[in-house]
C-alpha cells in the first residue's frame, strides 16, 4: 500500500466524511457502517450483535478459492428482518386492541434460494410465519420446506388442475394451504378437484381494487390489473361455492397493489377499500377469517425517506400500525369481527441481507495520461484551444466551454473531409479534455447555484468509466430493466478522499451493461465518486440491498451465469465473530454451455477432431496438439467471470 500521510487532502478527510458522502447511515439503517480503518462493516443484528468488515469476508472467501464477483449473504440479518416485521404487527395489534392475529407469509419469488427460505421460516417459527407461492415449482418447494401447520401457505397466480391437486396434498397433510382464485374458472376447478379428492379446500379471492399503487410497479393494481376479480366476479364466485355446498371454504380476501409502494397514503387507501369489501362480504354471511394485504412494503434504497420511486415515506412500524388501524376502523364501523391479518412482504424481508462485491479492475479515462507536447508551429485549431485553456477563469466558464466545443466539432468535420491529419485531431481532442478537466476543477469550488447551466453537464461528460467484473444482467437486473437504484460504495479505502467521478461498466458485450444512475437525496446522480486504482491492488465495490429479486432473477446474458456465494453467520466463539457456513461456487463455463445445449463431451470431441486434423496437416506437432486439447478441457471447468 502506498502511504498517503503527507497528502493534505487525506488529512482533511475522515471516515465520517465518507459516511456522509455515500449516505451510509441513511440507507444502511444500522445494518451497515464504516470502521475507523475505512472498511465497510455489516451488523446483521444492528446494535445487538457484532460488526463484520466486508473486506475480511472477501479475503476469507478468496482463501477458500472463491473470487469476486462474490455475493455475501448475512443469514442473521434475515432473522432480524423477520422479527422486525412480526413484532411491528404484534405491537400494533396489542396497542390498538385489535382482535385478530398477524399471520405473515414470505413470498418466495423474491428469493427462492433454499437456504434463504429455510432461514426465514426458522426465524418466523414462533410467529407462525408462512409462505406465499406463485407458481407450481414454488408450491412444490414450499410444501417440502414448510413444517408448521399453524402457519399458512398462500397460493397466488394462475392455476391449472395440477397446481390445485398439489395444493390439496398439503391440505391432506393438515396444512393451511389457501388457494387464491384469480379467475372464476379456477373456483370451479377447485370445487371439482376438492370433491374428487375428498378434501376441504381453503379458498381465497383476490379483489381487484380501484386504488392503484405508485412507483414503478403501479400497473399491478387498479381497474386494468392483470390479476384479481371484479366485485361482480366475487359475487359470482360466492354463488359457485354456495351451489356446491362449500361456502365455508371461502377463508381469505386478498389484494396486492404492486411492489415498492413509496407512499403510505396509497397503502392506507387500498387497505380501506379492501377492508370495506371484507366487511360487506362478512355481513352477507361469509365467514372470512383472513384479510391479506399483499406486498408493497418498500425499501429506502436511496435513504431520502421520500415518495421517490427508490424510497419510502414511512417505516415498518408505521406500515403495520396503519394497516391494523384502518382494518379495525372499518370493521368497527360496519360492526363485523376483526380478521386475522396476512401480509406478503418480500422485498422488506430480504433486500438488506445480501451484498454483491465486485472488483473494479480498470478504467476508461478521457483525459490524456501524459501531458501534451506542444510544438511552436501548431495548427490554428490547436492554438484556439490552447488560448482558451490558458485564459480560463471563473468569469469566462460558459464562453470557454462553447469555444472548445466548437474547436472539437470543427476538427471532426475537417477530419471527415480529409483536411486534417490524425495527429492534429488527436491533439485537439486531448487538449479539449485537458481544458475541460481544468474547468471542472474551477467548477468544483463554486456554489452550485453559480454554475452556468451549459457547464453542468461537464461532470458526467468527464466521468471515468470503471470496468467491473460482473454482469448487470445477472446481478442487477432491475437497474437495467427499470432504472431501479441501489447504493454502491467502495468497501475499503474510505479513510481516503475519493478523487474521480465515475460510472461503472460491466464485462458483458452490451452497451446497456452499465451503472450510470446513483442514489441521491434529491433525484438521481449521474456519477459516483471513487478512488483512483492503484497498480495491481484490487479495488472492491459493494452493491447493497440486492437481496430482493436481483440475485434470483438474473439471466445468462453473455453466458456469465451465477456468481460465487458465501453465507455468513455470526458466532461469538469465533475470533473474528463470524464464520462462513456455506459456499456456493458460481457457474463453470461448461455448466452455462450445457444450459444452451453444448454438451461437454461433444464440445471436447469436436475440438479433438480439429486438433487431429491440424496434426495431419502438419500445422501442429502431436505433443503440442494434445497439450492444447488438455488446456481446452481444463478451461471448461473455469469460472465464467474474469480472474485476476
Ligand atoms: C411479488 C408479490 C409480492 C411481494 O411483493 P413485495 O413488494 O416484494 O413485498 C407479494 N404478493 C404478491 C401477490 C406478489 O405478486
Amino acid at each position: 500500500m502506498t502511504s498517503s500521510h503527507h497528502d493534505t487532502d487525506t488529512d482533511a478527510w475522515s471516515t465520517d466524511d465518507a459516511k456522509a458522502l455515500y449516505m451510509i447511515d441513511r440507507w444502511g439503517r444500522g445494518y451497515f457502517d464504516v470502521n475507523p480503518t475505512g472498511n465497510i462493516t455489516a451488523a446483521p443484528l444492528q446494535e445487538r450483535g457484532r460488526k463484520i468488515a466486508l473486506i475480511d469476508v472477501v479475503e476469507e472467501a478468496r482463501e477458500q478459492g472463491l473470487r469476486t464477483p462474490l455475493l455475501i449473504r448475512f443469514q442473521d440479518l434475515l432473522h432480524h428482518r423477520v422479527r422486525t416485521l412480526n413484532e411491528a404487527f404484534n405491537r400494533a395489534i396489542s396497542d390498538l386492541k385489535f382482535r385478530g392475529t398477524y399471520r405473515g407469509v414470505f413470498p418466495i419469488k423474491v428469493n427462492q434460494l433454499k437456504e434463504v427460505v429455510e432461514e426465514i421460516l426458522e426465524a418466523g417459527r414462533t410467529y407462525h410465519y408462512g409462505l406465499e407461492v406463485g407458481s407450481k415449482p414454488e408450491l412444490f418447494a414450499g410444501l417440502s420446506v414448510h413444517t408448521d401447520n399453524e402457519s399458512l401457505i398462500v397460493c397466488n397466480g394462475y392455476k391449472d388442475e395440477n397446481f390445485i391437486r398439489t395444493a390439496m396434498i398439503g391440505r391432506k397433510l393438515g396444512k393451511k394451504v389457501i388457494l387464491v382464485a384469480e379467475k372464476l374458472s379456477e373456483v370451479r376447478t377447485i370445487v371439482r378437484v376438492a370433491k374428487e379428492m375428498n378434501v376441504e379446500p381453503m379458498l381465497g379471492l383476490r379483489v381487484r381494487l380501484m386504488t392503484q399503487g405508485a412507483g414503478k410497479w403501479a400497473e399491478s393494481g387498479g381497474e386494468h390489473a392483470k390479476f384479481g376479480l371484479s366485485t361482480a366476479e366475487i359475487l359470482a364466485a360466492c354463488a359457485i361455492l354456495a351451489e356446491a355446498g362449500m361456502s365455508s371454504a371461502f377463508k381469505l380476501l386478498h389484494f396486492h397493489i404492486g411492489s415498492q409502494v413509496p407512499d403510505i397514503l396509497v397503502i392506507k387507501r387500498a387497505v380501506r377499500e379492501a377492508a370495506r369489501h371484507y366487511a360487506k362480504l362478512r355481513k352477507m354471511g361469509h365467514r372470512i377469517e383472513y384479510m391479506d394485504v399483499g406486498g408493497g412494503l418498500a425499501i429506502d434504497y436511496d435513504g431520502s425517506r421520500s415518495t421517490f420511486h427508490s424510497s419510502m415515506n414511512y417505516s415498518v412500524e408505521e406500515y403495520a400500525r396503519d394497516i391494523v388501524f384502518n382494518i379495525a376502523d372499518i370493521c368497527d364501523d360496519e360492526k363485523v369481527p376483526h380478521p386475522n391479518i396476512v401480509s406478503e412482504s418480500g422485498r422488506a424481508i430480504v433486500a438488506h441481507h445480501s451484498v454483491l462485491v465486485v472488483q473494479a479492475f480498470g478504467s476508461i479515462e478521457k483525459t490524456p495520461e501524459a501531458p501534451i507536447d506542444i510544438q511552436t508551429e501548431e495548427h490554428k485549431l490547436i492554438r484556439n484551444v490552447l488560448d482558451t485553456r490558458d485564459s480560463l477563469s471563473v468569469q469566462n466558464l460558459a464562453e470557454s466551454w462553447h469555444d472548445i466545443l466548437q474547436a472539437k466539432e470543427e476538427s471532426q468535420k475537417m477530419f471527415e473531409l480529409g483536411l486534417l491529419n490524425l495527429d492534429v485531431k488527436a491533439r485537439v481532442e486531448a487538449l479539449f479534455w485537458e481544458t475541460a478537466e481544468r474547468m471542472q476543477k474551477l467548477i468544483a469550488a463554486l456554489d452550485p447555484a453559480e454554475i452556468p447551466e451549459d457547464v453542468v453537464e461537464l461532470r458526467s461528460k468527464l466521468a471515468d468509466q470503471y470496468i467491473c467484473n460482473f454482469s448487470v444482467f445477472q446481478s442487477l437486473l432491475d437497474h437495467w430493466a427499470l432504472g431501479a437504484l441501489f447504493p454502491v460504495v467502495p468497501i475499503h479505502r474510505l479513510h481516503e478522499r475519493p478523487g474521480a467521478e465515475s460510472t461503472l461498466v460491466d464485462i458483458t458485450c452490451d452497451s446497456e451493461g452499465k451503472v450510470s444512475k446513483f442514489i441521491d437525496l434529491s433525484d438521481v446522480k449521474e456519477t459516483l465518486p471513487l478512488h483512483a486504482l492503484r497498480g495491481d491492488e484490487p479495488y472492491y465495490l459493494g452493491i447493497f440491498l440486492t437481496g430482493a429479486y436481483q440475485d434470483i432473477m438474473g439471466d445468462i446474458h453473455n453466458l456469465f451465469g451465477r456468481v460465487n456465494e458465501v453465507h455468513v453467520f455470526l458466532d461469538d466463539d469465533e475470533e473474528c465473530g463470524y464464520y462462513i457456513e456455506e459456499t456456493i461456487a458460481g457457474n463453470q463455463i461448461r455448466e452455462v454451455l450445457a444450459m444452451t445445449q453444448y454438451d461437454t463431451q461433444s464440445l471436447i470431441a469436436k475440438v479433438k477432431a480439429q486438433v487431429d486434423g491440424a496434426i495431419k496437416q502438419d500445422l501442429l506437432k502431436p505433443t503440442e496438439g494434445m497439450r492444447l486439447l488438455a488446456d481446452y478441457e481444463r478451461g471448461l471447468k473455469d469460472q465464467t467471470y474474469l480472474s485476476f
Side-chain angles (χ1 to χ4, degrees), residues 107 109-110 132 156 206 254 256 258-260 294-297 344-348 549:
K109 74 156 191 265
V110 186
E132 187 265 2
N156 288 316
R206 178 163 175 170
H254 175 257
H256 173 68
S259 200
Q260 182 70 18
L297 175 52
E344 305 172 342
S345 296
R347 188 183 292 280
Y549 302 103

Side-chain angles (χ1 to χ4, degrees), residues 625-636:
M626 288 309 114
R627 207 173 51 236
L628 293 176
L629 187 64
D631 283 348
Y632 180 85
E633 270 194 68
R634 200 173 325 106
L636 283 171

Side-chain angles (χ1 to χ4, degrees), residues 19 30-35 40-44 46-47 49-54 56 570 576-578:
K19 269 168 80 168
Y31 293 117
F32 299 99
D33 200 355
V34 180
N35 71 13
I40 294 242
T41 56
Q46 291 179 333
E47 72 282 1
R50 305 272 297 244
K51 292 188 170 184
I52 304 169
L54 298 190
D56 293 346
L570 290 172
C576 52
Y578 73 92

Side-chain angles (χ1 to χ4, degrees), residues 518-539:
F518 301 93
I519 62 164
D520 195 12
L521 280 193
S522 56
D523 215 351
V524 177
K525 276 200 307 192
E526 310 273 313
T527 60
L528 181 73
L530 291 177
H531 303 86
L533 300 179
R534 282 195 295 237
D536 286 340
E537 201 184 295
Y539 185 55

Side-chain angles (χ1 to χ4, degrees), residues 90-160:
N90 288 346
R91 211 169 312 119
I93 282 173
S94 86
D95 287 356
L96 297 165
K97 306 203 166 41
F98 189 78
R99 290 187 297 279
T101 56
Y102 175 66
R103 286 283 181 271
V105 291
F106 173 67
I108 69 179
K109 74 156 191 265
V110 186
N111 199 317
Q112 295 100 337
L113 197 75
K114 181 161 156 278
E115 285 80 0
V116 170
V117 175
E118 285 180 342
E119 202 67 41
I120 287 170
L121 285 181
E122 194 197 302
R125 186 162 272 280
T126 53
Y127 309 105
H128 302 300
Y129 193 62
L131 292 173
E132 187 265 2
V133 299
S135 69
K136 276 191 281 187
E138 288 182 356
L139 175 59
F140 276 86
L143 280 179
S144 86
V145 294
H146 175 271
T147 53
D148 169 16
N149 282 0
E150 266 307 296
S151 73
L152 305 181
I153 298 182
V154 176
C155 306
N156 288 316
Y158 292 119
K159 295 161 196 74
D160 62 6

